Amino acid sequence: MKIKIIITLFALVWIGLIVRVFHLSVQSNDYYETLSENNSIKTEFSAPVRGEILDRSLEPIAINELGFKIALAPHLTKGKDTERLDHEIAYLKSMIPSLDAEKIAKTYKMQDSYYNHSFIDVVDFVPHETIIPLYSLMNLRETIQISPSPKRLYPYGSVASHLIGYVSKANQKEIDTDPSLKLLGHVGKNGIEKYYNSYLQGVAGERHIKVNAHNVEIEELDRTPTQENHNLVLNIDMRLQNYIGQLFDKKVGTIIVMDVHGAVYAAGSYPEYDLNSFVSGISSTEWNALMNSVDAPFTNKLISGLYPPGSTIKTGLGLIYITSGVMDEYSTIFSTGSMRLGNRTFRDWKKTGHGVTNVSKAITESCDDYFYQGALQVGIDRMSTGLMRMGLGKKTGIDLPNEFIGTVPSRAWKRAKFHKPWYQGETLNTSIGQGDFLITPFQMARFTALMATGYLPIPHVAKMIGDNPYTPVPLDVLTPTEKEKLPIIQRAMKAVCNDPGGTARSFVSTRFPIAGKTGTAQTTGIAQGVKERQKEHDMDYFKRSHAWFTTYGPADDPQFVVTVMVEHGGHGGEATGSIVSAIYNKLDELGYIKKQ
């Protein structure tokens, strides 16, 4: 019996050994073969060249300057012993005297470690013309690696800076979100560069190579090239963009030139800033100057600047009034120059008033009295709902990042924000675009396009994304009754710029009739006891009103919208009329205006 037990145990041991040998030699073969391949096959990624940004005539706006980056081999230091590293840095400095030796040493030491076996980038960019005469000599050193590294260049400097945006070094948070940025190094930080970043940066290429135990390349196994043809063509015309910048010299504010379908031909937020300063890292002095300037040059006022619209909203509000069911185009009020509500007096801009006034005259002459009295009849609920439907107080959908919403005051908005009831005086303030009413310039341009065509466009800077045209479909937001009565508003807007009583008539000089609406948006309240308002040009600069003039043209065949807002410019037409006129004449000169 004992012998049987011993034989059985002996047999079980041998069976176990045979099974283990079979597992190691046969079943585990795939596992160890994969492990071996991981040790001997290396994957290298090649960074794609960022796509260029071109204007509508294919004029380069953002390009890539040819150059190289320099990397040093790892493990050139041993604890506090930096002799080898110092020697290599001294060599680099002797070849390219402009290099910063201290910065190179700091960069290297931050990335060098026992576990890092890859070359360490120490110089991000050296111009092509600098490195080429030295390339062969420097490339002979085993401790130095030179590889292509294009650098973003903005040929126009500060022109259209808020539209184009810029690229700069990716931070750790951005790299964690998109690991490919560790390879690419730079990422779009603002404007078009940020909005279309994933498209512009392309797709990295891959290269699989076989290496030996010393990490020396033996053979290339396969290669996947980087993505090609990822340029971006904009609707912008840089000739027009340059021109509007010259018109706005030393002023603060915005200009928008957009076709009635939403394509942005030119737009500026002023003052602008040089995009090239950010590519390699802006100095603290330059950064502080930008951030501390009272004119906020770093803010994209086109989509992030919030301003009271003043009288510019009277066009849409007039349409709401005459389609409300409580007023129509024949309804009139008698304007005396002021209106009493409770213990407050609400003034008209015209001290003597406008007399008998209907909606057409109210828009042409910008009669505040008409909109005050109409507001009490129509009510804030219809007013705010209608204006928001027309695109105010909401994002336009433009292809730029960080767009603000703005505010169209309403009962619900005030209750949610302040937990307080609504007062009739606030309805009157809202009716002339004052109080808590705030919009962005692009909201106003879009709103004006709606008045011109009856459709609410989506503003868009991009024209072609690769081979695909970008043409977002305008929104149909007006009611049938509003569409039917829209021509009444359009005729009044034409009268603003062409009739003797029009608020812009004295300031417009165009080759063809245009239509529009002026606005003087107060930034400082007027005390009730003040009977004679101080003239705008006599006020301190920051107490002056913002000047608006939003237009479309030609008046009888709308093709373009031009919206200008000058911060603290005073009266709308006076501060902006010559600028708007010059832009329409330039559009005609460039062949963009199609004559009937």
Side-chain angles (χ1 to χ4, degrees):
M1 187 66 182
K2 290 182 179 179
I3 294 175
K4 288 182 178 180
I5 294 172
I6 292 170
I7 292 172
T8 301
L9 290 172
F10 184 77
L12 289 172
V13 170
W14 274 99
I15 289 170
L17 288 172
I18 291 169
V19 169
R20 182 60 178 161
V21 168
F22 176 79
H23 175 73
L24 291 173
S25 61
V26 180
Q27 288 187 325
S28 297
N29 180 66
D30 290 342
Y31 169 75
Y32 286 107
E33 184 177 344
T34 301
L35 194 64
S36 174
E37 285 181 356
N38 287 340
N39 286 333
S40 61
I41 297 175
K42 183 179 178 182
T43 301
E44 286 185 351
F45 294 94
S46 54
V49 176
R50 192 172 181 87
E52 294 186 346
I53 301 175
L54 313 169
D55 86 341
R56 65 185 304 108
S57 301
L58 305 185
E59 182 74 20
I61 297 175
I63 59 177
N64 302 299
E65 185 181 5
L66 293 176
F68 297 86
K69 64 180 178 180
I70 301 173
L72 291 177
H75 316 311
L76 294 179
T77 61
K78 295 180 180 178
K80 294 183 179 180
D81 183 4
T82 62
E83 184 177 348
R84 291 182 64 203
L85 174 62
D86 295 340
H87 180 70
E88 293 302 323
I89 293 175
Y91 174 77
L92 290 176
K93 184 75 174 172
S94 69
M95 300 297 283
I96 309 173
S98 61
L99 296 180
D100 187 335
E102 187 176 332
K103 184 178 179 181
I104 291 174
K106 183 179 179 181
T107 302
Y108 185 90
K109 291 172 185 177
M110 284 177 63
Q111 299 183 51
D112 189 33
S113 74
Y114 179 80
Y115 303 100
N116 179 30
H117 301 292
S118 301
F119 274 68
I120 298 169
D121 293 335
V122 292
V123 179
D124 291 331
F125 183 83
V126 179
H128 177 269
E129 60 273 15
T130 300
I131 207 78
I132 286 300
L134 310 170
Y135 182 85
S136 298
L137 189 60
M138 293 176 67
N139 209 38
L140 290 174
R141 296 176 76 91
E142 294 183 354
T143 52
I144 294 177
Q145 186 181 78
I146 302 172
S147 53
S149 177
K151 178 183 178 182
R152 204 59 158 174
L153 177 67
Y154 301 99
Y156 288 92
S158 63
V159 179
S161 55
H162 296 89
L163 291 181
I164 301 165
Y166 60 89
V167 299
S168 193
K169 287 185 180 180
N171 58 41
Q172 192 57 50
K173 184 178 179 181
E174 291 165 331
I175 292 171
D176 292 340
T177 304
D178 181 2
S180 67
L181 294 177
K182 189 171 184 179
L183 171 71
L184 298 167
H186 288 69
V187 65
K189 297 282 189 175
N190 214 334
I192 284 291
E193 289 276 30
K194 180 175 181 178
Y195 192 90
Y196 289 106
N197 181 72
S198 59
Y199 170 76
L200 287 167
Q201 72 184 15
V203 178
E206 286 188 35
R207 177 171 173 258
H208 297 100
I209 56 175
K210 185 179 288 186
V211 296
N212 61 19
H214 299 288
N215 203 35
V216 176
E217 181 178 335
I218 299 172
E219 177 187 0
E220 179 177 290
L221 301 177
D222 60 71
R223 179 193 293 264
T224 304
T226 58
Q227 180 196 52
E228 301 295 334
N229 190 28
H230 48 112
N231 292 343
L232 187 67
V233 179
L234 306 185
N235 284 304
I236 302 300
D237 183 328
M238 289 306 286
R239 296 171 301 175
L240 186 60
Q241 187 72 43
N242 263 319
Y243 184 70
I244 68 171
Q246 293 165 14
L247 290 175
F248 222 68
D249 184 41
K250 297 181 181 177
K251 293 182 177 68
V252 179
T254 62
I255 295 179
I256 296 169
V257 184
M258 178 180 84
D259 75 16
V260 292
H261 307 295
V264 180
Y265 281 58
S269 172
Y270 301 100
E272 297 179 307
Y273 58 92
D274 189 352
L275 297 172
N276 292 303
S277 299
F278 289 84
V279 177
S280 299
I282 189 170
S283 70
S284 57
T285 302
E286 288 179 284
W287 175 256
N288 289 333
L290 283 172
M291 297 307 292
N292 296 328
S293 171
V294 293
D295 295 328
F298 202 53
T299 298
N300 185 351
K301 301 176 178 72
L302 294 163
I303 57 170
S304 302
L306 294 176
Y307 304 91
S311 296
T312 55
I313 53 97
K314 289 176 179 175
T315 54
L317 204 52
L319 187 59
I320 293 168
Y321 283 9
I322 64 176
T323 57
S324 64
V326 296
M327 296 177 70
D328 60 27
E329 61 268 38
Y330 305 107
S331 301
T332 61
I333 63 96
F334 188 79
S335 168
T336 62
S338 65
M339 176 183 169
R340 193 76 178 171
L341 181 67
N343 60 356
R344 284 195 61 191
T345 298
F346 290 82
R347 299 179 177 89
D348 192 290
W349 70 267
K350 189 175 182 181
K351 187 178 177 182
T352 58
H354 302 262
V356 178
T357 305
N358 63 9
V359 68
S360 297
K361 183 178 180 181
I363 290 172
T364 302
E365 298 184 8
S366 201
C367 174
D368 294 333
D369 269 349
Y370 175 88
F371 288 94
Y372 291 150
Q373 296 186 44
L376 295 180
Q377 295 181 59
V378 174
I380 189 61
D381 294 331
R382 283 197 190 99
M383 291 163 56
S384 60
T385 301
L387 290 170
M388 289 192 71
R389 180 165 46 84
M390 293 175 180
L392 302 180
K394 60 175 64 175
K395 292 185 178 183
T396 66
I398 191 171
D399 47 351
L400 290 172
N402 308 318
E403 182 179 13
F404 282 18
I405 296 173
T407 302
V408 176
S410 66
R411 295 179 197 275
W413 166 80
K414 188 180 179 186
R415 191 181 304 114
K417 188 172 179 65
F418 299 111
H419 309 289
K420 292 182 178 180
W422 184 263
Y423 299 107
Q424 281 190 321
E426 294 170 298
T427 301
L428 301 193
N429 279 333
T430 301
S431 74
I432 60 167
Q434 294 287 171
D436 293 307
F437 208 149
L438 294 171
I439 65 165
T440 68
F442 257 115
Q443 286 177 359
M444 178 49 62
R446 187 188 191 208
F447 175 80
T448 306
L450 174 65
M451 296 298 106
T453 66
Y455 292 91
L456 192 65
I458 310 297
H460 50 287
V461 183
K463 183 174 189 281
M464 298 284 295
I465 304 173
D467 296 325
N468 303 311
Y470 180 51
T471 52
V473 179
L475 306 178
D476 188 359
V477 299
L478 297 183
T479 67
T481 307
E482 287 171 339
K483 290 178 183 178
E484 179 187 339
K485 296 195 175 184
L486 182 59
I488 297 168
I489 306 301
Q490 292 171 336
R491 287 193 291 271
M493 293 179 72
K494 182 178 180 181
V496 167
C497 301
N498 298 278
D499 285 7
T503 54
R505 174 65 185 89
S506 301
F507 310 109
V508 172
S509 177
T510 52
R511 298 174 184 174
F512 47 85
I514 64 171
K517 184 70 190 76
T518 57
T520 304
Q522 293 177 14
T523 60
T524 304
I526 304 172
Q528 287 287 296
V530 175
K531 294 183 179 180
E532 191 71 35
R533 186 184 176 188
Q534 188 179 13
K535 293 181 179 179
E536 290 281 350
H537 61 265
D538 292 332
M539 294 181 178
D540 293 337
Y541 174 76
F542 288 107
K543 291 184 178 180
R544 296 175 192 169
S545 301
H546 298 318
W548 285 95
F549 191 18
T550 188
T551 66
Y552 64 83
D556 299 321
D557 180 24
Q559 296 171 34
F560 281 88
V561 168
V562 176
T563 299
V564 176
M565 191 279 300
V566 180
E567 288 188 13
H568 309 292
H571 291 296
E574 184 178 2
T576 59
S578 61
I579 297 173
V580 168
S581 299
I583 292 171
Y584 277 111
N585 292 337
K586 188 68 173 180
L587 284 168
D588 187 39
E589 179 188 317
L590 293 173
Y592 286 126
I593 301 296
K594 297 176 177 63
K595 306 289 177 62
Q596 288 183 325

